[in-house]
């Protein structure tokens, strides 16, 4: 499977009379976009705002971040099984509006989280402060239940990203990058002397505001399976996970998975990246046993020498992570796990809810309990009220002067467990 | 295996009683975990993970855990999981206690908590 990603660098976003890309500027026809998103009868009103790097703007509560993409050549369309037919994606050419994103906000539940500051100290902790963001502010119709509200906001973001992505269809990319995965046998024959490595991608799959979809299927209902890495780049996996802002994988993360990117970078040179094993993180312990058995079985069947395992979210996924790690290690396959930490505000406590001596190679994305003080911003997009009721905040965390004192866990992507951030710790 | 839910979530009691036996207690999140630990020592095993959901133990006040009778035998895996879950919860609560949420937010937490086990309970 071979995919060309045509990257169109976006350096600014503006409202205009026509949605188009010209000289690196994304112009958005606001009315047209609002009309498209307002088709959903569960939404009472929709507004679109722009947020650019360096502005004194706070976006909250953030539900999802999505990169606009469009299929230019090859089967299927973006977000298969959700917005496009369920064709297998990941081949041909896909164009990307690099440097732009759709951000969804919505007060689905009273307690909330997910802050993106476009400037100030908070901006350093979220990769999305560096993007030209098209922000959707969605208000539900009266009495809409939380489940339907979440679905409406999720679909609104995907639709907006697809709509904006289509503006990239006939634009000449600034850069074209090619990613190719051969079949397992071909790959092993081509690189007989390189260690074979697979990536075990754990998907959050527990319930309301905790879900992920694979080709439109709720990940709770999958058994572990094998995917080509380029399928991710066409939106085969999308996020419905709105809880634990710092370490949830947004759709943007799935599209731009840095572990996939880095493995491709070393592919054919230092290692042979043979594919992605996707698995879930269910609440039922028998599901955890089954899924970790299957991920170990698939790793063994692929005959890999090593795997990288990433988890998503807080608490019980630590158990899935350790089950995956230990069962794969016991097959004689080396593992590296990627996680973040809840080590207490002083950083002195046990970081994970589960552990094992076999988990002896760990990459951490930082301590989510660390406290940060965020200055007031001139403008807040979304809902400011949840500031007091935000994960990692506490009573009075929204001060009268507009400053917020919170744990890093309130900031979208701050300790992302794919490593899509700057935080880490090293031990020797 | 006899299965039942230990919960402090009134919505679970109200909505799921027709599917499974509910043991409802008006106690804290941490005390629910401790109650489950007592049960594990008495020969019950965990069927769902005590730290279900990504909501932090000092964020949501509600917790519902499904356990099953294990023929009075101690299940070591359950014991390990519940002990480390209690340790994790205590770590959060030590830094900051669960806020006094208003009624509307409490309802939202109840809805999230039930969503983590609802489908499962109906399939068991």
């Amino acid at each position: 499977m071979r995919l060309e990603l045509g990257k169109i660098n976006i350096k600014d976003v503006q409202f205009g009379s026509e949605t188009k890309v010209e000289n690196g500027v994304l112009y958005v026809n606001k009315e047209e976009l609002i009309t498209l998103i307002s088709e959903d009868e569960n939404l009472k009103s929709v507004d679109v705002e722009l947020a650019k790097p360096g502005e004194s703007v706070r976006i909250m509560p953030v539900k999802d971040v999505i990169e606009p993409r469009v299929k230019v050549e090859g089967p299927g369309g973006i977000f298969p099984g959700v917005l496009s037919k369920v064709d297998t994606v990941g081949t041909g050419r896909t164009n990307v509006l690099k440097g732009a994103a759709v951000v969804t906000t919505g007060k689905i539940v009273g307690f909330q989280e997910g802050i993106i500051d476009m400037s100030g100290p908070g901006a350093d902790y979220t990769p999305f402060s560096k993007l030209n963001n098209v922000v959707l502010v969605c208000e539900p119709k009266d009495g809409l239940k939380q489940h339907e509200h979440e679905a409406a906001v999720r679909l609104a973001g995907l639709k907006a990203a697809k709509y904006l992505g289509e503006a990239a269809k006939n634009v000449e990319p600034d850069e074209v990058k090619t990613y190719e995965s051969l079949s397992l046998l071909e790959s092993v024959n081509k690189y007989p002397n390189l260690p074979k490595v697979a990536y075990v991608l754990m998907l959050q799959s527990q319930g309301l505001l905790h879900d992920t979809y694979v080709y439109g299927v709720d990940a709770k209902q999958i058994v572990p399976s094998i995917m080509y890495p380029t399928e991710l780049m066409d939106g085969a996996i999308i996020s419905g996970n709105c809880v634990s802002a710092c370490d949830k994988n947004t759709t943007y993360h799935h599209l731009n998975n840095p572990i996939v990117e880095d493995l491709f970078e070393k592919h054919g040179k230092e290692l042979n990246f043979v594919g992605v094993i996707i698995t879930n993180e269910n609440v039922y312990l028998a599901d955890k046993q089954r899924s970790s058995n299957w991920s170990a079985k698939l790793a063994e069947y692929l005959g890999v020498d090593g795997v990288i395992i990433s988890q998503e979210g807080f608490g019980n996924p630590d158990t899935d992570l350790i089950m995956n790690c230990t069962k794969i290690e016991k097959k004689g396959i080396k593992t590296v796990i990627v996680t973040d930490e809840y080590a207490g505000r002083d950083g002195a406590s046990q970081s994970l809810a589960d552990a094992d001596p076999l988990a002896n190679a760990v990459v951490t994305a930082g301590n989510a309990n660390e406290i940060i003080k965020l200055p007031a911003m001139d403008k807040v997009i979304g809902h400011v009220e949840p500031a007091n009721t935000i994960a990692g905040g506490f009573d009075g965390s929204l001060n009268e002067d507009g400053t917020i004192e919170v744990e890093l866990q309130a900031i979208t992507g701050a300790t992302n467990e794919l490593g899509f951030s700057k935080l880490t710790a090293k031990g020797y | 295996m006899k299965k039942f839910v230990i919960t402090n979530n009134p919505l679970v009691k109200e909505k799921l009683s027709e599917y499974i036996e509910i043991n409802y207690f008006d106690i804290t999140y941490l005390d629910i975990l401790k109650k489950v630990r007592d049960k594990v020592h008495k020969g019950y095993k965990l069927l769902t993970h005590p730290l279900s959901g990504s909501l932090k133990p000092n964020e949501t006040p509600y917790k519902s855990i499904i356990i099953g009778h294990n023929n009075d035998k101690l299940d070591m895996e359950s014991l390990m999981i519940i002990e480390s879950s209690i340790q994790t919860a205590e770590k959060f609560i030590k830094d900051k206690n669960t806020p006094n949420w208003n009624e509307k937010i409490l309802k939202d937490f109840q809805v999230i908590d039930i969503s983590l086990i609802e489908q499962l309970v109906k399939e068991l």
Side-chain angles (χ1 to χ4, degrees), chain B residues 1-34:
Chain B
M1 188 201 290
K2 188 183 171 225
K3 304 178 178 89
F4 55 96
V5 180
I6 297 203
T7 183
N8 61 355
N9 180 353
L11 194 63
V12 167
K13 185 170 119 186
E14 182 195 325
K15 298 258 177 160
L16 299 183
S17 289
E18 61 177 296
Y19 302 99
I20 191 168
E21 185 182 329
I22 309 286
N23 287 6
Y24 172 82
F25 302 95
D26 187 11
I27 56 179
T28 65
Y29 179 112
L30 188 59
D31 285 340
I32 286 288
L33 298 189
K34 289 178 176 170

mmCIF file of all heavy atoms in Angstrom, chain B residues 1-34:
data_model
loop_
_atom_site.group_PDB
_atom_site.id
_atom_site.type_symbol
_atom_site.label_atom_id
_atom_site.label_comp_id
_atom_site.label_asym_id
_atom_site.label_seq_id
_atom_site.Cartn_x
_atom_site.Cartn_y
_atom_site.Cartn_z
ATOM 1 N N MET B 1 -21.939 -17.933 37.428
ATOM 2 C CA MET B 1 -21.364 -17.041 38.422
ATOM 3 C C MET B 1 -22.377 -15.932 38.742
ATOM 4 O O MET B 1 -22.900 -15.300 37.839
ATOM 5 C CB MET B 1 -20.070 -16.418 37.868
ATOM 6 C CG MET B 1 -19.301 -15.621 38.878
ATOM 7 S SD MET B 1 -18.169 -14.441 38.085
ATOM 8 C CE MET B 1 -16.941 -15.517 37.399
ATOM 9 N N LYS B 2 -22.623 -15.730 40.007
ATOM 10 C CA LYS B 2 -23.529 -14.652 40.374
ATOM 11 C C LYS B 2 -22.796 -13.316 40.216
ATOM 12 O O LYS B 2 -21.690 -13.140 40.727
ATOM 13 C CB LYS B 2 -23.976 -14.840 41.821
ATOM 14 C CG LYS B 2 -25.054 -13.869 42.217
ATOM 15 C CD LYS B 2 -25.445 -13.997 43.672
ATOM 16 C CE LYS B 2 -26.363 -12.845 44.018
ATOM 17 N NZ LYS B 2 -26.011 -12.226 45.278
ATOM 18 N N LYS B 3 -23.432 -12.404 39.489
ATOM 19 C CA LYS B 3 -22.791 -11.120 39.233
ATOM 20 C C LYS B 3 -23.633 -9.985 39.801
ATOM 21 O O LYS B 3 -24.855 -10.065 39.789
ATOM 22 C CB LYS B 3 -22.653 -10.888 37.719
ATOM 23 C CG LYS B 3 -21.919 -11.984 36.978
ATOM 24 C CD LYS B 3 -21.886 -11.667 35.495
ATOM 25 C CE LYS B 3 -21.111 -12.712 34.721
ATOM 26 N NZ LYS B 3 -21.891 -13.837 34.254
ATOM 27 N N PHE B 4 -22.988 -8.950 40.276
ATOM 28 C CA PHE B 4 -23.734 -7.771 40.684
ATOM 29 C C PHE B 4 -22.866 -6.525 40.633
ATOM 30 O O PHE B 4 -21.650 -6.606 40.477
ATOM 31 C CB PHE B 4 -24.400 -7.948 42.048
ATOM 32 C CG PHE B 4 -23.474 -8.328 43.162
ATOM 33 C CD1 PHE B 4 -22.963 -7.351 44.005
ATOM 34 C CD2 PHE B 4 -23.131 -9.647 43.372
ATOM 35 C CE1 PHE B 4 -22.119 -7.700 45.047
ATOM 36 C CE2 PHE B 4 -22.279 -9.997 44.411
ATOM 37 C CZ PHE B 4 -21.776 -9.026 45.248
ATOM 38 N N VAL B 5 -23.536 -5.395 40.748
ATOM 39 C CA VAL B 5 -22.850 -4.097 40.640
ATOM 40 C C VAL B 5 -22.752 -3.464 42.025
ATOM 41 O O VAL B 5 -23.744 -3.433 42.761
ATOM 42 C CB VAL B 5 -23.615 -3.136 39.704
ATOM 43 C CG1 VAL B 5 -22.886 -1.798 39.598
ATOM 44 C CG2 VAL B 5 -23.805 -3.745 38.323
ATOM 45 N N ILE B 6 -21.569 -2.986 42.343
ATOM 46 C CA ILE B 6 -21.405 -2.162 43.551
ATOM 47 C C ILE B 6 -21.286 -0.723 43.072
ATOM 48 O O ILE B 6 -20.419 -0.412 42.240
ATOM 49 C CB ILE B 6 -20.167 -2.602 44.337
ATOM 50 C CG1 ILE B 6 -20.396 -4.033 44.803
ATOM 51 C CG2 ILE B 6 -19.882 -1.635 45.486
ATOM 52 C CD1 ILE B 6 -19.613 -4.471 45.992
ATOM 53 N N THR B 7 -22.165 0.130 43.553
ATOM 54 C CA THR B 7 -22.213 1.487 42.994
ATOM 55 C C THR B 7 -22.655 2.516 44.030
ATOM 56 O O THR B 7 -23.334 2.177 45.001
ATOM 57 C CB THR B 7 -23.180 1.541 41.787
ATOM 58 O OG1 THR B 7 -23.148 2.850 41.213
ATOM 59 C CG2 THR B 7 -24.615 1.235 42.205
ATOM 60 N N ASN B 8 -22.262 3.764 43.777
ATOM 61 C CA ASN B 8 -22.830 4.884 44.535
ATOM 62 C C ASN B 8 -23.573 5.819 43.571
ATOM 63 O O ASN B 8 -23.834 6.974 43.903
ATOM 64 C CB ASN B 8 -21.739 5.648 45.304
ATOM 65 C CG ASN B 8 -20.707 6.250 44.373
ATOM 66 O OD1 ASN B 8 -20.746 6.037 43.163
ATOM 67 N ND2 ASN B 8 -19.777 7.022 44.931
ATOM 68 N N ASN B 9 -23.864 5.309 42.381
ATOM 69 C CA ASN B 9 -24.533 6.113 41.355
ATOM 70 C C ASN B 9 -26.037 5.818 41.354
ATOM 71 O O ASN B 9 -26.457 4.725 40.960
ATOM 72 C CB ASN B 9 -23.916 5.783 39.995
ATOM 73 C CG ASN B 9 -24.536 6.574 38.854
ATOM 74 O OD1 ASN B 9 -25.515 7.284 39.038
ATOM 75 N ND2 ASN B 9 -23.965 6.430 37.675
ATOM 76 N N PRO B 10 -26.840 6.779 41.773
ATOM 77 C CA PRO B 10 -28.292 6.521 41.854
ATOM 78 C C PRO B 10 -28.905 6.187 40.492
ATOM 79 O O PRO B 10 -29.899 5.453 40.431
ATOM 80 C CB PRO B 10 -28.857 7.834 42.415
ATOM 81 C CG PRO B 10 -27.767 8.850 42.310
ATOM 82 C CD PRO B 10 -26.477 8.119 42.277
ATOM 83 N N LEU B 11 -28.302 6.690 39.423
ATOM 84 C CA LEU B 11 -28.842 6.415 38.089
ATOM 85 C C LEU B 11 -28.674 4.936 37.717
ATOM 86 O O LEU B 11 -29.530 4.345 37.060
ATOM 87 C CB LEU B 11 -28.136 7.308 37.060
ATOM 88 C CG LEU B 11 -28.777 7.404 35.682
ATOM 89 C CD1 LEU B 11 -30.166 8.029 35.736
ATOM 90 C CD2 LEU B 11 -27.878 8.199 34.730
ATOM 91 N N VAL B 12 -27.602 4.345 38.164
ATOM 92 C CA VAL B 12 -27.366 2.906 37.916
ATOM 93 C C VAL B 12 -28.437 2.100 38.642
ATOM 94 O O VAL B 12 -29.015 1.159 38.086
ATOM 95 C CB VAL B 12 -25.944 2.506 38.381
ATOM 96 C CG1 VAL B 12 -25.789 0.993 38.442
ATOM 97 C CG2 VAL B 12 -24.906 3.103 37.431
ATOM 98 N N LYS B 13 -28.706 2.484 39.861
ATOM 99 C CA LYS B 13 -29.736 1.791 40.652
ATOM 100 C C LYS B 13 -31.093 1.901 39.965
ATOM 101 O O LYS B 13 -31.824 0.925 39.815
ATOM 102 C CB LYS B 13 -29.800 2.434 42.045
ATOM 103 C CG LYS B 13 -30.730 1.735 43.011
ATOM 104 C CD LYS B 13 -30.543 2.299 44.405
ATOM 105 C CE LYS B 13 -31.846 2.903 44.887
ATOM 106 N NZ LYS B 13 -31.692 3.594 46.166
ATOM 107 N N GLU B 14 -31.366 3.100 39.474
ATOM 108 C CA GLU B 14 -32.675 3.352 38.858
ATOM 109 C C GLU B 14 -32.832 2.622 37.514
ATOM 110 O O GLU B 14 -33.872 2.034 37.241
ATOM 111 C CB GLU B 14 -32.806 4.869 38.645
ATOM 112 C CG GLU B 14 -34.118 5.328 38.055
ATOM 113 C CD GLU B 14 -34.024 6.769 37.544
ATOM 114 O OE1 GLU B 14 -33.300 7.583 38.174
ATOM 115 O OE2 GLU B 14 -34.636 7.059 36.525
ATOM 116 N N LYS B 15 -31.774 2.635 36.704
ATOM 117 C CA LYS B 15 -31.919 2.152 35.317
ATOM 118 C C LYS B 15 -31.519 0.697 35.103
ATOM 119 O O LYS B 15 -31.945 0.088 34.121
ATOM 120 C CB LYS B 15 -31.061 3.027 34.382
ATOM 121 C CG LYS B 15 -31.462 4.477 34.355
ATOM 122 C CD LYS B 15 -32.252 4.764 33.116
ATOM 123 C CE LYS B 15 -32.690 6.203 33.166
ATOM 124 N NZ LYS B 15 -33.054 6.833 32.010
ATOM 125 N N LEU B 16 -30.647 0.160 35.938
ATOM 126 C CA LEU B 16 -30.102 -1.163 35.605
ATOM 127 C C LEU B 16 -30.600 -2.276 36.527
ATOM 128 O O LEU B 16 -30.238 -3.442 36.343
ATOM 129 C CB LEU B 16 -28.566 -1.124 35.597
ATOM 130 C CG LEU B 16 -27.928 -0.168 34.567
ATOM 131 C CD1 LEU B 16 -26.398 -0.271 34.601
ATOM 132 C CD2 LEU B 16 -28.416 -0.459 33.145
ATOM 133 N N SER B 17 -31.437 -1.945 37.501
ATOM 134 C CA SER B 17 -31.899 -2.951 38.465
ATOM 135 C C SER B 17 -32.648 -4.106 37.798
ATOM 136 O O SER B 17 -32.651 -5.220 38.299
ATOM 137 C CB SER B 17 -32.803 -2.299 39.518
ATOM 138 O OG SER B 17 -32.011 -1.498 40.361
ATOM 139 N N GLU B 18 -33.275 -3.819 36.656
ATOM 140 C CA GLU B 18 -34.027 -4.899 35.997
ATOM 141 C C GLU B 18 -33.113 -5.893 35.279
ATOM 142 O O GLU B 18 -33.543 -6.962 34.873
ATOM 143 C CB GLU B 18 -35.060 -4.323 35.020
ATOM 144 C CG GLU B 18 -34.456 -3.499 33.914
ATOM 145 C CD GLU B 18 -35.499 -2.994 32.920
ATOM 146 O OE1 GLU B 18 -36.128 -3.833 32.253
ATOM 147 O OE2 GLU B 18 -35.662 -1.754 32.822
ATOM 148 N N TYR B 19 -31.835 -5.518 35.113
ATOM 149 C CA TYR B 19 -30.910 -6.408 34.390
ATOM 150 C C TYR B 19 -29.963 -7.173 35.310
ATOM 151 O O TYR B 19 -29.475 -8.236 34.971
ATOM 152 C CB TYR B 19 -30.060 -5.602 33.402
ATOM 153 C CG TYR B 19 -30.868 -4.844 32.381
ATOM 154 C CD1 TYR B 19 -31.135 -3.482 32.553
ATOM 155 C CD2 TYR B 19 -31.370 -5.497 31.256
ATOM 156 C CE1 TYR B 19 -31.891 -2.788 31.629
ATOM 157 C CE2 TYR B 19 -32.120 -4.802 30.322
ATOM 158 C CZ TYR B 19 -32.378 -3.454 30.512
ATOM 159 O OH TYR B 19 -33.111 -2.766 29.595
ATOM 160 N N ILE B 20 -29.627 -6.571 36.441
ATOM 161 C CA ILE B 20 -28.590 -7.149 37.307
ATOM 162 C C ILE B 20 -28.837 -6.686 38.739
ATOM 163 O O ILE B 20 -29.432 -5.626 38.948
ATOM 164 C CB ILE B 20 -27.180 -6.714 36.806
ATOM 165 C CG1 ILE B 20 -26.056 -7.498 37.489
ATOM 166 C CG2 ILE B 20 -26.952 -5.225 36.994
ATOM 167 C CD1 ILE B 20 -24.684 -7.299 36.825
ATOM 168 N N GLU B 21 -28.377 -7.453 39.691
ATOM 169 C CA GLU B 21 -28.534 -7.037 41.088
ATOM 170 C C GLU B 21 -27.616 -5.842 41.365
ATOM 171 O O GLU B 21 -26.443 -5.849 41.016
ATOM 172 C CB GLU B 21 -28.161 -8.206 42.013
ATOM 173 C CG GLU B 21 -28.418 -7.882 43.476
ATOM 174 C CD GLU B 21 -27.995 -9.018 44.401
ATOM 175 O OE1 GLU B 21 -28.056 -10.194 43.991
ATOM 176 O OE2 GLU B 21 -27.581 -8.685 45.531
ATOM 177 N N ILE B 22 -28.188 -4.826 41.969
ATOM 178 C CA ILE B 22 -27.422 -3.608 42.258
ATOM 179 C C ILE B 22 -27.255 -3.470 43.771
ATOM 180 O O ILE B 22 -28.242 -3.482 44.504
ATOM 181 C CB ILE B 22 -28.160 -2.348 41.734
ATOM 182 C CG1 ILE B 22 -28.582 -2.490 40.264
ATOM 183 C CG2 ILE B 22 -27.322 -1.089 41.988
ATOM 184 C CD1 ILE B 22 -27.493 -2.379 39.255
ATOM 185 N N ASN B 23 -26.030 -3.339 44.216
ATOM 186 C CA ASN B 23 -25.779 -3.005 45.618
ATOM 187 C C ASN B 23 -25.407 -1.534 45.691
ATOM 188 O O ASN B 23 -24.271 -1.156 45.375
ATOM 189 C CB ASN B 23 -24.633 -3.848 46.179
ATOM 190 C CG ASN B 23 -25.036 -5.284 46.417
ATOM 191 O OD1 ASN B 23 -26.143 -5.682 46.057
ATOM 192 N ND2 ASN B 23 -24.158 -6.071 46.994
ATOM 193 N N TYR B 24 -26.380 -0.726 46.044
ATOM 194 C CA TYR B 24 -26.180 0.729 46.064
ATOM 195 C C TYR B 24 -25.784 1.198 47.466
ATOM 196 O O TYR B 24 -26.387 0.786 48.464
ATOM 197 C CB TYR B 24 -27.466 1.436 45.610
ATOM 198 C CG TYR B 24 -27.408 2.927 45.782
ATOM 199 C CD1 TYR B 24 -26.784 3.726 44.829
ATOM 200 C CD2 TYR B 24 -27.953 3.540 46.924
ATOM 201 C CE1 TYR B 24 -26.703 5.093 45.000
ATOM 202 C CE2 TYR B 24 -27.876 4.910 47.098
ATOM 203 C CZ TYR B 24 -27.249 5.681 46.133
ATOM 204 O OH TYR B 24 -27.163 7.036 46.303
ATOM 205 N N PHE B 25 -24.787 2.057 47.514
ATOM 206 C CA PHE B 25 -24.363 2.648 48.795
ATOM 207 C C PHE B 25 -24.173 4.140 48.608
ATOM 208 O O PHE B 25 -23.615 4.572 47.598
ATOM 209 C CB PHE B 25 -23.020 2.049 49.244
ATOM 210 C CG PHE B 25 -23.038 0.561 49.394
ATOM 211 C CD1 PHE B 25 -22.623 -0.251 48.344
ATOM 212 C CD2 PHE B 25 -23.485 -0.034 50.570
ATOM 213 C CE1 PHE B 25 -22.638 -1.637 48.471
ATOM 214 C CE2 PHE B 25 -23.495 -1.420 50.704
ATOM 215 C CZ PHE B 25 -23.075 -2.229 49.650
ATOM 216 N N ASP B 26 -24.620 4.899 49.582
ATOM 217 C CA ASP B 26 -24.448 6.353 49.520
ATOM 218 C C ASP B 26 -23.113 6.705 50.180
ATOM 219 O O ASP B 26 -23.069 7.238 51.295
ATOM 220 C CB ASP B 26 -25.632 7.038 50.224
ATOM 221 C CG ASP B 26 -25.589 8.551 50.036
ATOM 222 O OD1 ASP B 26 -24.779 9.022 49.198
ATOM 223 O OD2 ASP B 26 -26.342 9.245 50.737
ATOM 224 N N ILE B 27 -22.024 6.358 49.498
ATOM 225 C CA ILE B 27 -20.678 6.573 50.038
ATOM 226 C C ILE B 27 -19.787 7.180 48.950
ATOM 227 O O ILE B 27 -20.220 7.335 47.818
ATOM 228 C CB ILE B 27 -20.057 5.244 50.550
ATOM 229 C CG1 ILE B 27 -20.048 4.191 49.435
ATOM 230 C CG2 ILE B 27 -20.793 4.732 51.769
ATOM 231 C CD1 ILE B 27 -19.436 2.848 49.840
ATOM 232 N N THR B 28 -18.555 7.501 49.303
ATOM 233 C CA THR B 28 -17.664 8.171 48.336
ATOM 234 C C THR B 28 -17.100 7.180 47.320
ATOM 235 O O THR B 28 -17.155 5.967 47.504
ATOM 236 C CB THR B 28 -16.457 8.818 49.049
ATOM 237 O OG1 THR B 28 -15.676 7.759 49.620
ATOM 238 C CG2 THR B 28 -16.880 9.790 50.125
ATOM 239 N N TYR B 29 -16.501 7.746 46.278
ATOM 240 C CA TYR B 29 -15.793 6.975 45.243
ATOM 241 C C TYR B 29 -14.773 6.038 45.898
ATOM 242 O O TYR B 29 -14.744 4.839 45.628
ATOM 243 C CB TYR B 29 -15.104 7.999 44.334
ATOM 244 C CG TYR B 29 -14.273 7.484 43.181
ATOM 245 C CD1 TYR B 29 -14.705 7.687 41.865
ATOM 246 C CD2 TYR B 29 -13.047 6.857 43.365
ATOM 247 C CE1 TYR B 29 -13.934 7.268 40.775
ATOM 248 C CE2 TYR B 29 -12.275 6.428 42.296
ATOM 249 C CZ TYR B 29 -12.721 6.639 41.002
ATOM 250 O OH TYR B 29 -11.961 6.230 39.938
ATOM 251 N N LEU B 30 -13.968 6.601 46.791
ATOM 252 C CA LEU B 30 -12.907 5.807 47.417
ATOM 253 C C LEU B 30 -13.501 4.684 48.272
ATOM 254 O O LEU B 30 -12.985 3.559 48.281
ATOM 255 C CB LEU B 30 -12.002 6.722 48.268
ATOM 256 C CG LEU B 30 -10.743 6.087 48.836
ATOM 257 C CD1 LEU B 30 -9.834 5.542 47.738
ATOM 258 C CD2 LEU B 30 -9.972 7.106 49.680
ATOM 259 N N ASP B 31 -14.594 4.994 48.958
ATOM 260 C CA ASP B 31 -15.217 3.961 49.795
ATOM 261 C C ASP B 31 -15.841 2.843 48.949
ATOM 262 O O ASP B 31 -15.908 1.695 49.400
ATOM 263 C CB ASP B 31 -16.249 4.588 50.737
ATOM 264 C CG ASP B 31 -15.576 5.329 51.887
ATOM 265 O OD1 ASP B 31 -14.385 5.020 52.153
ATOM 266 O OD2 ASP B 31 -16.201 6.210 52.501
ATOM 267 N N ILE B 32 -16.272 3.181 47.730
ATOM 268 C CA ILE B 32 -16.760 2.121 46.826
ATOM 269 C C ILE B 32 -15.604 1.168 46.497
ATOM 270 O O ILE B 32 -15.743 -0.052 46.552
ATOM 271 C CB ILE B 32 -17.354 2.729 45.524
ATOM 272 C CG1 ILE B 32 -18.717 3.377 45.788
ATOM 273 C CG2 ILE B 32 -17.476 1.661 44.427
ATOM 274 C CD1 ILE B 32 -19.854 2.407 46.037
ATOM 275 N N LEU B 33 -14.444 1.743 46.197
ATOM 276 C CA LEU B 33 -13.284 0.899 45.901
ATOM 277 C C LEU B 33 -12.947 0.004 47.107
ATOM 278 O O LEU B 33 -12.654 -1.179 46.951
ATOM 279 C CB LEU B 33 -12.058 1.757 45.543
ATOM 280 C CG LEU B 33 -12.117 2.651 44.307
ATOM 281 C CD1 LEU B 33 -10.727 3.244 44.021
ATOM 282 C CD2 LEU B 33 -12.612 1.918 43.073
ATOM 283 N N LYS B 34 -13.015 0.588 48.292
ATOM 284 C CA LYS B 34 -12.678 -0.196 49.498
ATOM 285 C C LYS B 34 -13.710 -1.292 49.755
ATOM 286 O O LYS B 34 -13.373 -2.386 50.200
ATOM 287 C CB LYS B 34 -12.532 0.731 50.703
ATOM 288 C CG LYS B 34 -11.262 1.584 50.604
ATOM 289 C CD LYS B 34 -11.114 2.549 51.757
ATOM 290 C CE LYS B 34 -9.773 3.284 51.643
ATOM 291 N NZ LYS B 34 -9.684 4.400 52.609
#
